[in-house]
């Protein structure tokens, strides 16, 4: 759906919800006055995902719009680097790890992509700076790392094959913007494209704006920035299995490009999937968290019980 189509359908959904709300109030008043009402029919009319509630053309628009939103496919992307170099350096970043997941509200995580990247040589005098930044985050060695053997050309080509265009239109990739990750990811993609001569075609959008849009389409109001940040910054899945790449999980390192992408998908699933009538599965949340349900504390992880 184009942005204009989404706006048009969102407006239709808002009007439809207002109409249903008015009908519900009238029925409640009639019930208080003793006027007979068909309870089963009323419940059917208020279930927005029930096919029996789709009667008029306006309701049909709303039904297909919400169905399209649930089935829409999103890509979450992140690239880690060996620190950030000063603006006077030609190499602002040294990309060393990339992660990407394919996701929809309906199916959860459908596929994932991950590579350690063979980085460029740090500028003279900045090797210690780069290694110190790595040690404080993802802990990937600047040199001599046996898994960092994939060159820029292979990484970019396989990423573009993973994010395949539909009908000639490239899908949007989303990343964290409010945490200032977009500049780093864009720079790394452009760097790999300029060195290899491969055009990336990828457009990066803010995942925060995506969450706001999904929330607004369902509830007809905009969530607060604090709520969005809180949902994305939870620690609940830092130690969940099948979230980090194999190397980061085996070495018990939390910062992982693939994990950062999967946790975005988990956050959206936990916050909005049920609101859109989607049942959570192991593809939406890690198995242990899916089993625990809503009783799990999303804001606290006890690291030392002693």
């Amino acid at each position: 759906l184009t942005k204009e189509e989404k706006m048009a359908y969102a407006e239709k959904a808002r009007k439809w919800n207002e109409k249903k709300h008015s009908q519900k109030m009238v029925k409640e008043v009639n019930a208080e006055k003793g006027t007979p009402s068909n309870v089963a029919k009323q419940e059917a009319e208020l279930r927005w995902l029930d096919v029996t509630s789709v009667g008029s053309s306006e309701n049909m628009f709303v039904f297909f719009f919400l169905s399209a939103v649930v089935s829409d496919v999103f890509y979450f992307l992140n690239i880690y680097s060996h620190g950030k170099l000063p603006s006077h350096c030609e190499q602002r970043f040294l990309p060393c790890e990339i992660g990407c997941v394919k996701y929809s509200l309906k199916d959860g995580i459908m596929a994932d992509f991950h590579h350690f990247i063979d980085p460029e040589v740090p500028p003279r005098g900045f090797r210690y700076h780069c290694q110190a930044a790595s040690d404080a985050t993802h802990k990937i060695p600047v040199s001599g790392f046996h898994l960092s053997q994939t060159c820029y050309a292979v990484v970019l080509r396989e990423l573009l094959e993973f994010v395949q265009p539909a009908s000639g239109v490239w899908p949007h990739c989303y990343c964290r913007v409010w945490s200032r990750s977009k500049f780093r990811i864009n720079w790394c993609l452009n760097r790999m494209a300029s060195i290899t001569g491969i055009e990336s075609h990828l457009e990066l959008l803010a995942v925060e704006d995506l969450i706001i849009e999904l929330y607004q389409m369902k509830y007809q109001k905009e969530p607060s920035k604090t709520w969005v940040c809180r949902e994305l910054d939870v620690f609940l899945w830092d130690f969940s299995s099948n979230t980090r790449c194999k190397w980061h999980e085996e070495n018990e390192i939390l910062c992982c490009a693939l994990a950062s992408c999967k946790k975005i998908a988990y956050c959206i699933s936990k916050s909005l999937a049920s609101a859109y009538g989607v049942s959570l599965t192991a593809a939406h949340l890690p198995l242990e968290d899916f089993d625990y349900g809503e009783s799990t504390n999303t804001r606290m992880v006890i690291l030392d019980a002693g």
Side-chain angles (χ1 to χ4, degrees):
L1 293 174
T2 64
K3 185 176 182 179
E4 291 75 15
E5 288 175 330
K6 288 183 178 180
M7 292 177 63
Y9 286 142
E11 179 63 19
K12 290 179 180 294
R14 184 186 63 79
K15 292 180 179 179
W16 181 74
N17 282 331
E18 289 179 353
K19 179 181 177 182
K20 289 302 176 185
H21 180 69
S22 299
Q23 291 176 351
K24 182 179 179 182
M25 292 182 64
V26 170
K27 289 180 179 181
E28 290 175 351
V29 171
N30 289 339
E32 292 178 358
K33 293 180 178 180
T35 305
S37 61
N38 188 330
V39 177
K41 182 179 179 182
Q42 179 181 346
E43 291 178 351
E45 288 178 345
L46 294 175
R47 289 198 300 266
W48 58 271
L49 272 180
D50 193 334
V51 178
T52 60
S53 69
V54 182
S56 66
S57 59
E58 184 177 353
N59 292 355
M60 186 73 76
F61 274 126
V62 174
F63 175 78
F64 284 113
F65 168 65
L66 293 173
S67 298
V69 171
V70 169
S71 301
D72 204 2
V73 174
F74 311 112
Y75 290 87
F76 305 132
L77 175 67
N78 202 355
I79 300 177
Y80 281 172
S81 72
H82 293 301
K84 179 181 179 181
L85 300 178
S87 57
H88 66 268
C89 294
E90 179 189 355
Q91 298 166 258
R92 295 298 305 278
F93 300 95
L94 300 176
C96 60
E97 184 187 21
I98 183 171
C100 185
V101 299
K102 181 180 180 181
Y103 172 85
S104 75
L105 276 170
K106 177 183 178 182
D107 299 315
I109 295 177
M110 304 160 68
D112 61 66
F113 172 87
H114 175 265
H115 268 307
F116 289 108
I117 307 171
D118 186 12
E120 300 176 60
V121 178
R124 183 181 296 273
F126 286 97
R127 177 176 290 275
Y128 176 81
H129 168 81
C130 292
Q131 188 60 64
S134 298
D135 292 341
T137 52
H138 48 68
K139 303 187 186 305
I140 300 172
V142 172
S143 59
F145 185 45
H146 67 287
L147 295 177
S148 295
Q149 299 176 349
T150 310
C151 64
Y152 286 174
V154 172
V155 170
L156 197 54
R157 191 178 299 113
E158 292 188 4
L159 175 64
L160 296 179
E161 290 175 357
F162 179 74
V163 187
Q164 294 182 359
S167 304
V169 179
W170 286 88
H172 295 307
C173 288
Y174 293 86
C175 68
R176 297 286 300 273
V177 172
W178 294 353
S179 61
R180 301 179 181 178
S181 299
K182 184 178 180 180
F183 176 75
R184 180 185 70 248
I185 299 171
N186 255 333
W187 191 96
C188 292
L189 288 174
N190 292 334
R191 178 72 173 182
M192 290 189 286
S194 64
I195 290 179
T196 61
I198 302 173
E199 191 174 355
S200 70
H201 300 286
L202 299 180
E203 179 185 359
L204 283 181
L205 299 175
V207 72
E208 296 90 345
D209 292 338
L210 172 64
I211 294 174
I212 289 175
E213 184 179 1
L214 291 172
Y215 188 97
Q216 198 169 30
M217 283 188 292
K218 182 64 183 77
Y219 296 108
Q220 286 75 55
K221 61 180 180 179
E222 186 172 306
S224 68
K225 182 177 179 179
T226 302
W227 180 82
V228 175
C229 291
R230 185 176 66 244
E231 292 300 305
L232 289 172
D233 290 338
V234 296
F235 307 110
L236 173 61
W237 301 290
D238 282 355
F239 298 94
S240 297
S241 61
N242 196 33
T243 298
R244 293 168 286 179
C245 72
K246 182 180 179 181
W247 184 80
H248 277 119
E249 184 161 0
E250 288 177 349
N251 290 277
E252 298 184 350
I253 301 168
L254 295 184
C255 290
C256 171
L258 179 61
S260 67
C261 299
K262 285 188 174 183
K263 287 191 288 186
I264 291 174
Y266 297 160
C267 290
I268 294 177
S269 295
K270 188 153 184 88
S271 302
L272 294 167
S274 59
Y276 276 88
V278 176
S279 299
L280 293 175
T281 67
H284 292 89
L285 292 175
L287 279 174
E288 57 268 27
D289 301 304
F290 173 68
D291 292 336
Y292 292 151
E294 297 296 330
S295 62
T296 308
N297 188 330
T298 61
R299 293 298 299 164
M300 179 168 50
V301 174
I302 299 176
L303 299 179
D304 186 357

